[in-house]
Amino acid sequence: ALYTDAADLPTSTFDFVIVGAGAGGAVMAARLSENPSTSVLVIEAGPSDAGLLEIAVPFMAPELTGPFSKWTWNFTTVPQAELNNRTLAYARGRILGGSTSVNYMAHTRGSDDEYNLWAQLTGDEGWAWSNLEKFYFKSARLVAASNGRSSTGLVNPLAHGFGPVEVSLPGHTEPIDDRILQTARTVPEFPLAADLNAGRNIGMALMQSSVSGGRRVSSATAYLHPAISRPNLHVLIGNTVTKLVQTGNTTRGPEFKQVEFAPNSTAPCTSVKATKEIILSAGTISTPQILMLSGVGNATELSSFGITPVVDLPDVGRNLQDQPLLASYFRVISNISNATYDAVERSPELKTAALAQWNATRTGLFSGGVVNGVGFLRLPANSSIFQNITDPAAGPNTGHIEMIFGDGYNALVDPQPATGNFLTVQLSVSTPTSLGSVTLNNTDPFTFPVIDPNFLGTPFDRFAVVEVVKAARRFVSAPTWDGFIGDRFGVIGDADTDEEILDACRKEVVTIWHPTSTARMAARDVPWGVVDPDLLVKGVSGLRIVDASVFPRIPAVHPSAVIYIMAERVADLIQNVGTRAVRDEL
Ligand SMILES: Cc1cc2nc3c(=O)[nH]c(=O)nc-3n(C[C@H](O)[C@H](O)[C@H](O)COP(=O)(O)OP(=O)(O)OC[C@H]3O[C@@H](n4cnc5c(N)ncnc54)[C@H](O)[C@@H]3O)c2cc1C
């Protein structure tokens, strides 16, 4: 059942208490409560997503993360040294479904390489793709696009499973779709991918998105709502977890089985207990904040805030990784009416009409996201950067850079011009090597932490961001685009030399919204890392983390599908009492 007031909860003791109902938390809640004799409480700071039109309509995604959004934690970064000291908006979802309720719905599970590297880094073969594929199949399935578009030759049906996250090709056909595919069929540098979700994450494709029947599919719609009527699943919304409390000592270390939370900063805290585990799924920014407020983190730093350290884990809040994103624009000279959606973006009347069509039939422009095409590419092996730097990609089937195509002006930094039609190619470095951090501002759980993604902090990231700008220019200079694309536009468009392009990138880079790794997983027997390969917090009993913070390194894709796979595996481990720590305690 869904609760808004802790006083209405039937008990204060549950088998599992899950903090956060985002990508990781919703999977854990749904899977663990499949056993009717297991009681599960989820505590979510935000409201319910049920019935919210702007959450459900895919095309409205960019409107969900503005500075005054009701559905997000409106975090900001510290001034970014390599971005001319700009401070960036850094929102995360604060609603059932977490960031999957406000994200752009790209569904990319990444190359097999990513997971095989996890297995290598953690010494646990359970993370190798050969052992994970069944959990990918358990998490997601392919459904028809809402416009009935043929998927022949664009996806490999055998690479998809039968899980609750429904994934489809773009439900609205854009004039650029065929041009993207035709370029890929004719220019060897940009090959057409058989299916980016089939293990090799290189090449051009139409975007596979978590959209079904023209509606957003989130971890809330796929996992949480279908389970919420179970008598053993309790979901408390509108309550912020402030602290985890030590409840004892075990051979593994201090035991944390109590959670404190409050509806706001002035209300008194309530406590609940977990008999089996607390599962922290508050996301890459909030998970380390909660750990540190609970005495788990760098002991010296915690002491400087007057927090008594319980476990010294210096990696808490370290190793923050994220992918830089920027928009490169090209003028569209086509005289096809509706060649782009710029007119709709400018016109309240056209938007109302598109929304009315969506309401009536779940079709049209609003039934798809703002981008239709995507490509992941490798930097050439003989790139000068590799003379000094080891290739950061997880393996040969992993792209270094990404291009995402929007059939109109996607305003990331500079607003949409008053007139004109545009193609936006959003560009990203998929394998960034910059490391940032999340640290405490103070000991108030309602104060946002200090967030430093350190964008473009390394020579590799600065090299790759320039290369992806040039790759996009080569892509749209293929003959396929003749008569459609005019000149380059905007801050990136004005730059010619590599130096000018890098300078322009410093002005234009924002986040792609993929922070990871602030509580990274590592092998059991090494002194670094925050969780072990079963995602149990090192040196602590009763506490597991299941969210993007545990990734040993950022996957070179959009991460929500990766979190679903990871959470499915860990839920299976728990259900089958397969984890070493639980076995040890039995
Ligand atoms: C604007 C945007 C666009 C994105 N686009 C894509 C995309 O196209 N494709 C893709 O794969 N990924 C995308 N992502 C990233 C993806 O959505 C996230 O990586 C993923 O949702 C992270 O899952 P998580 O479980 O780590 O955390 P989240 O999904 O963020 O969930 C964390 C939950 O914990 C709750 N919480 C936090 N602190 C507390 C507390 N103290 N007490 C109680 N509850 C708390 C939050 O409110 C939230 O509901 C995007 C993200 C954003 C923000």
Side-chain angles (χ1 to χ4, degrees):
L2 189 69
Y3 305 83
T4 53
D5 188 341
D8 297 332
L9 289 172
T11 167
S12 58
T13 304
F14 304 83
D15 290 325
F16 293 92
V17 177
I18 300 174
V19 181
V27 177
M28 298 307 289
R31 290 301 181 199
L32 294 178
S33 64
E34 279 173 350
N35 180 344
S37 59
T38 298
S39 63
V40 177
L41 171 67
V42 183
I43 306 173
E44 166 56 47
S48 173
D49 61 315
L52 295 175
L53 183 78
E54 56 271 58
I55 301 284
V57 179
F59 195 79
M60 294 175 84
E63 296 173 27
L64 301 172
T65 40
F68 305 108
S69 167
K70 288 178 283 185
W71 322 124
T72 57
W73 304 83
N74 296 310
F75 298 132
T76 49
T77 69
V78 297
Q80 293 297 282
E82 295 290 341
L83 303 182
N84 302 333
N85 282 324
R86 285 185 299 125
T87 301
L88 306 184
Y90 214 64
R92 312 304 300 153
R94 186 175 175 274
I95 185 168
L96 290 184
S99 299
T100 70
S101 287
V102 302
N103 74 10
Y104 283 46
M105 297 154 285
H107 193 83
T108 51
R109 65 115 157 138
S111 66
D112 296 359
D113 301 337
E114 303 281 1
Y115 304 91
N116 295 335
L117 182 65
W118 287 17
Q120 201 184 316
L121 291 172
T122 62
D124 185 338
E125 274 301 301
W127 291 114
W129 181 256
S130 55
N131 291 316
L132 281 183
E133 186 175 57
K134 58 178 178 284
F135 298 112
Y136 177 55
F137 286 173
K138 199 176 174 186
S139 71
R141 79 181 124 133
L142 199 61
V143 297
S146 57
N147 60 355
R149 169 201 298 271
S150 166
S151 60
T152 308
L154 298 176
V155 292
N156 172 3
L158 297 177
H160 296 267
F162 48 85
V165 179
E166 295 181 330
V167 176
S168 60
L169 289 174
H172 185 249
T173 304
E174 308 281 358
I176 58 172
D177 298 357
D178 282 342
R179 287 194 160 81
I180 294 167
L181 297 175
Q182 196 50 28
T183 309
R185 290 188 182 108
T186 50
V187 182
E189 182 187 354
F190 304 103
L192 186 66
D195 184 329
L196 288 176
N197 280 328
R200 185 167 189 271
N201 202 56
I202 295 172
M204 311 302 301
L206 294 186
M207 186 73 97
Q208 294 180 28
S209 298
S210 53
V211 173
S212 178
R215 297 177 66 101
R216 171 191 294 274
V217 175
S218 67
S219 68
T221 67
Y223 283 98
L224 207 54
H225 292 305
I228 213 161
S229 59
R230 291 175 188 157
N232 56 327
L233 175 59
H234 312 276
V235 180
L236 175 66
I237 54 175
N239 277 270
T240 300
V241 168
T242 52
K243 197 180 172 193
L244 313 178
V245 183
Q246 184 181 354
T247 43
N249 282 298
T250 69
T251 48
R252 193 182 153 91
E255 178 184 75
F256 282 81
K257 286 194 171 168
Q258 186 174 332
V259 180
E260 287 187 356
F261 57 91
N264 57 59
S265 59
T266 52
C269 278
T270 304
S271 284
V272 288
K273 280 198 172 155
T275 53
K276 291 196 168 125
E277 286 182 17
I278 294 171
I279 296 175
L280 203 43
S281 297
T284 297
I285 308 304
S286 299
T287 281
Q289 183 185 21
I290 294 169
L291 286 173
M292 289 186 276
L293 292 174
S294 312
V296 180
N298 181 310
T300 318
E301 275 172 34
L302 295 182
S303 300
S304 73
F305 283 100
I307 298 170
T308 308
V310 184
V311 185
D312 184 18
L313 279 178
D315 262 1
V316 172
R318 300 262 168 83
N319 304 301
L320 174 62
Q321 286 197 284
D322 196 1
Q323 292 147 339
L325 182 76
L326 64 111
S328 66
Y329 302 106
F330 301 86
R331 282 187 195 278
V332 169
I333 53 175
S334 169
N335 55 8
I336 309 167
S337 70
N338 301 331
T340 70
Y341 50 67
D342 286 290
V344 178
E345 294 280 23
R346 290 189 190 105
S347 158
E349 292 76 27
L350 291 177
K351 273 192 179 169
T352 304
L355 195 53
Q357 181 183 350
W358 186 88
N359 266 320
T361 59
R362 302 281 186 267
T363 62
L365 183 62
F366 276 35
S367 67
V370 293
V371 296
N372 267 18
V374 63
F376 290 92
L377 302 165
R378 281 184 71 77
L379 297 173
N382 62 359
S383 298
S384 59
I385 192 74
F386 294 134
Q387 286 166 12
N388 310 314
I389 286 166
T390 312
D391 182 352
N397 291 320
T398 307
H400 297 108
I401 52 178
E402 182 181 10
M403 311 195 290
I404 311 169
F405 296 80
D407 196 27
Y409 190 96
N410 303 150
L412 301 190
V413 174
D414 311 307
Q416 184 193 32
T419 57
N421 286 327
F422 297 91
L423 168 76
T424 306
V425 193
Q426 294 189 37
L427 306 170
S428 182
V429 178
S430 311
T431 56
T433 59
S434 305
L435 298 179
S437 60
V438 173
T439 47
L440 290 179
N441 224 322
N442 57 36
T443 56
D444 174 10
F446 290 89
T447 301
F448 290 165
V450 180
I451 304 168
D452 182 7
N454 186 23
F455 281 118
L456 304 190
T458 60
F460 176 82
D461 294 5
R462 295 192 288 273
F463 177 88
V465 82
V466 172
E467 291 307 307
V468 71
V469 168
K470 294 192 290 188
R473 290 177 182 180
R474 291 194 297 277
F475 189 85
V476 300
S477 65
T480 338
W481 299 86
D482 285 355
F484 187 83
I485 293 289
D487 52 350
R488 304 193 309 240
F489 182 84
V491 174
I492 297 290
D494 288 343
D496 289 320
T497 64
D498 285 7
E499 290 72 25
E500 287 169 357
I501 294 173
L502 181 57
D503 277 350
C505 291
R506 294 184 193 282
K507 295 179 189 148
E508 295 293 292
V509 160
V510 293
T511 173
I512 197 171
W513 317 101
H514 297 167
T516 70
S517 308
T518 52
R520 68 173 169 160
M521 175 188 348
R524 278 190 180 77
D525 51 358
V526 297
W528 62 85
V530 175
V531 295
D532 71 17
D534 289 340
L535 307 191
L536 289 160
V537 176
K538 289 185 162 196
V540 171
S541 176
L543 181 56
R544 202 183 298 257
I545 304 178
V546 186
D547 60 26
S549 70
V550 302
F551 291 170
R553 36 180 280 156
I554 192 166
V557 280
H558 304 254
S560 56
V562 182
I563 301 165
Y564 291 143
I565 297 167
M566 179 179 80
E568 286 281 10
R569 171 166 187 253
V570 174
D572 185 76
L573 277 178
I574 294 173
Q575 283 165 320
N576 295 306
V577 199
T579 74
R580 195 165 309 188
V582 176
R583 280 199 304 272
D584 289 352
E585 280 169 20
L586 286 176

